[in-house]
Amino acid sequence: MKVFVSSDMEGTAGVVDWAQCLPGEPEHEHYRGLLLDEVNAAIQGAADAGAEEFLVNDSHSSMHNLRPDQLAHRARYLSGRHKPMYMMQGLDASYDAVFFVSYHGSMSSSSTLSHTYNPRAVAEVRLDGAVVGEAGINALVAQGYDVPVVLVTGDDVTAEETSRVCPGVHAAVVKHSVSRFAAESLHPHEACELIRSKAHQAVATLGEARPPAITLPATLEVDWRNPDLAEMATWVEGVERSGTTGVAMTDDDPLRLYRRFVTTVLLTRGIAE
Ligand SMILES: [Zn+2]
């Protein structure tokens, strides 16, 4: 049994500030250790329930936050920048389950450190009319490969947002968001115990899990933070302007839709303030 782990960082218990999750900042050094513990807790819980192979795709910032030699169960590590499938690089149809570890809520939500891919560019994303964060957008790729998303870890808002697109997902809520820069977190040890037990449950009940059921063709609407960003996004084929700051893209292939969205994010990075 193979598990694909996409790890972010803002959803880790105790993390409430950009400096704590920005590589190069002194505080990052400590918090990356807490993230590693949470990733390993997810791996261990899954392994306890029979999972054998793990790939961890580091999806946060410059995407090299973990220590490869300290990953549990000899997990393979996909790290570094410029990955065509970004937070979902490495997933394919050979996997049995997807875990989202240390995820956060969408830009327009009250989740701690909320953002949707780029906080300087993206104001809100809706999938078929419902607000989605990174978990909901990334679920397109899981659906494209027909693999269920069975675990999400992060705050309460993130858990709720994820369950809208991935019904039945097991959620380890390791903190409660108070504001975008405050949260009440479980002690890291307790957070890891919770993640381990939820990961165990998620893999033990995998027979009941289903891939995300996003109706196809699906439409992503993106509200950008200013009209220049929206205009630039339309340079990507298949992206239509829908308002002063809005664009929309529709596709019957969830993988192509995800790639198109990621292309707009990467393109607009150059002019995001
Ligand atoms: Zn993120």
Side-chain angles (χ1 to χ4, degrees):
M1 187 189 296
K2 292 172 72 175
V3 176
F4 176 84
V5 181
S6 171
S7 65
D8 207 341
M9 188 162 185
E10 289 88 353
T12 295
V15 168
V16 291
D17 198 275
W18 298 124
Q20 294 167 336
C21 38
L22 195 63
E25 291 288 329
E27 274 200 278
H28 175 260
E29 210 44 45
H30 170 69
Y31 286 93
R32 70 192 294 190
L34 299 185
L35 170 64
L36 175 72
D37 290 344
E38 291 195 358
V39 169
N40 280 340
I43 292 174
Q44 279 153 359
D48 293 344
E52 290 141 341
E53 272 188 60
F54 300 89
L55 174 63
V56 178
N57 174 19
D58 190 327
S59 304
H60 174 72
S61 187
S62 43
M63 309 192 191
H64 48 82
N65 302 278
L66 301 170
R67 298 196 180 280
D69 59 322
Q70 288 173 25
L71 284 171
H73 281 269
R74 301 189 175 193
R76 281 172 295 126
Y77 185 41
L78 205 169
S79 57
R81 288 173 290 170
H82 309 316
K83 294 181 277 201
M85 294 301 276
Y86 214 121
M87 300 182 80
M88 298 302 279
Q89 181 69 39
L91 181 66
D92 62 35
S94 71
Y95 284 86
D96 300 286
V98 171
F99 287 2
F100 292 154
V101 174
S102 191
Y103 266 43
H104 52 82
S106 67
M107 182 69 192
S108 56
S109 79
S110 57
S111 177
T112 305
L113 298 179
S114 71
H115 61 283
T116 306
Y117 273 84
N118 184 354
R120 281 183 285 277
V122 177
E124 183 170 286
V125 178
R126 292 175 300 281
L127 173 60
D128 293 332
V131 174
V132 282
E134 291 166 9
I137 296 165
N138 297 351
L140 286 165
V141 181
Q143 177 162 336
Y145 289 117
D146 211 26
V147 184
V149 178
V150 296
L151 179 76
V152 60
T153 82
D155 70 11
D156 50 327
V157 178
T158 308
E160 199 274 319
E161 278 190 343
T162 306
S163 67
R164 278 186 235 151
V165 185
C166 308
V169 67
H170 294 256
V173 176
V174 300
K175 58 186 173 186
H176 283 267
S177 160
V178 172
S179 73
R180 288 190 69 241
F181 294 100
E184 181 179 329
S185 296
L186 297 181
H187 186 281
H189 295 171
E190 204 182 329
C192 286
E193 282 167 22
L194 179 65
I195 291 170
R196 186 168 177 159
S197 93
K198 292 286 182 183
H200 184 283
Q201 270 178 36
V203 170
T205 58
L206 200 54
E208 299 153 29
R210 296 288 169 266
I214 301 159
T215 309
L216 300 174
T219 298
L220 280 178
E221 294 168 278
V222 183
D223 291 339
W224 300 89
R225 290 183 57 149
N226 67 55
D228 292 357
L229 293 160
E231 176 359 77
M232 186 178 253
T234 65
W235 299 359
V236 179
E237 200 183 332
V239 178
E240 305 292 335
R241 193 76 172 261
S242 58
T244 311
T245 56
V247 303
M249 52 196 99
T250 299
D251 210 298
D252 53 15
D253 176 352
L255 298 176
R256 204 161 48 204
L257 185 58
Y258 176 81
R259 289 188 76 128
R260 189 172 292 137
F261 168 74
V262 165
T263 305
T264 66
V265 169
L266 295 178
L267 180 64
T268 54
R269 199 166 272 173
I271 62 162
E273 292 162 31

